[in-house]
Amino acid sequence: MIAAREKDGTVIKVVSRDEIHRNGFWHETFHCWIVEMAGETPLIHLQLRSSDKKDFPDLLDISAAGHILAHETVEDGVREIGEELGIEVGFEELIPLGIIKDQLTVRDFIDNERCHVFLYKVEGKLDNKYIFQEDEVAGMFKFDFGEFAALCKGAAAQVESKGEISPDGGLLPRTVTLADLVPHEPAYLKEAVDRIQKALQIHLEIDASK
């Protein structure tokens, strides 16, 4: 069960997940973006959603994310990382990026989220540490963070993966556009990459007017 909220976070009532999305209630979610510091090039990890997912199968998404249940705190949201990716991460290891609102509507699916966004900055690779929850995650793709940021800001039409991780090694390198991502609100993506960039303390030359 999930707490239905006003846009400012005030709780209205507790309802099912289906009702949250059927009626478009605001609700709180946990988002964790993983960035691997590979030499001078930060690599952002995007999960490939399983083809078995009810919502947005086979699309790329935030490294790990999920609903914060009515009885949970924001800190409890860290369980999503362990459940989906099989790695144990303490809440204190995450860099808080604040709340970013995200809205998307696809047919009768109305998703109004108050996203508690975090960055997990990793020194070294996680490739052999991931144990994916098969009905949730089909694998992980890595992208140059600067190139991904340009994609999110409209300064690039596509971006090529820099690494692929799957349980059986079956993922092939791919070139993706925004159409290959879960259709988050553009303002959410732009704000998320801005806050990640600030947290990483890196400078990017991005011309969003192109």
Side-chain angles (χ1 to χ4, degrees), residues 2 6 66 79 99 102 115 173 203:
I2 302 171
E6 301 284 1
R79 65 175 169 75
I99 294 175
D102 187 19
C115 314
H203 176 71

Side-chain angles (χ1 to χ4, degrees), residues 2 6 36 41 59 70-71 93 101 125 137-138 180 191 209:
I2 302 171
E6 301 284 1
E36 169 190 325
T41 305
L59 293 181
H71 67 277
E93 298 178 75
K101 294 183 178 68
K125 293 185 177 182
V137 184
D180 297 301
E191 186 64 26
S209 66

Side-chain angles (χ1 to χ4, degrees), residues 129-192:
K129 297 180 181 178
Y130 283 136
I131 302 175
F132 299 120
Q133 186 177 3
E134 292 184 4
D135 59 344
E136 293 277 340
V137 184
M140 192 74 76
F141 284 83
K142 303 181 189 182
F143 298 91
D144 178 295
F145 174 72
E147 294 177 1
F148 178 69
L151 178 70
C152 293
K153 292 175 178 249
Q158 61 187 36
V159 58
E160 296 182 4
S161 62
K162 306 298 183 183
E164 304 78 33
I165 312 164
S166 68
D168 59 4
L171 292 180
L172 297 175
R174 61 186 294 183
T175 299
V176 304
T177 68
L178 286 175
D180 297 301
L181 309 183
V182 170
H184 293 283
E185 188 175 14
Y188 167 85
L189 289 174
K190 291 174 184 176
E191 186 64 26

Side-chain angles (χ1 to χ4, degrees), residues 28-31 64-68 79-80 84:
E28 303 207 322
T29 55
F30 173 89
H31 290 186
H67 292 86
I68 298 173
R79 65 175 169 75
E80 294 287 349
E84 295 185 358

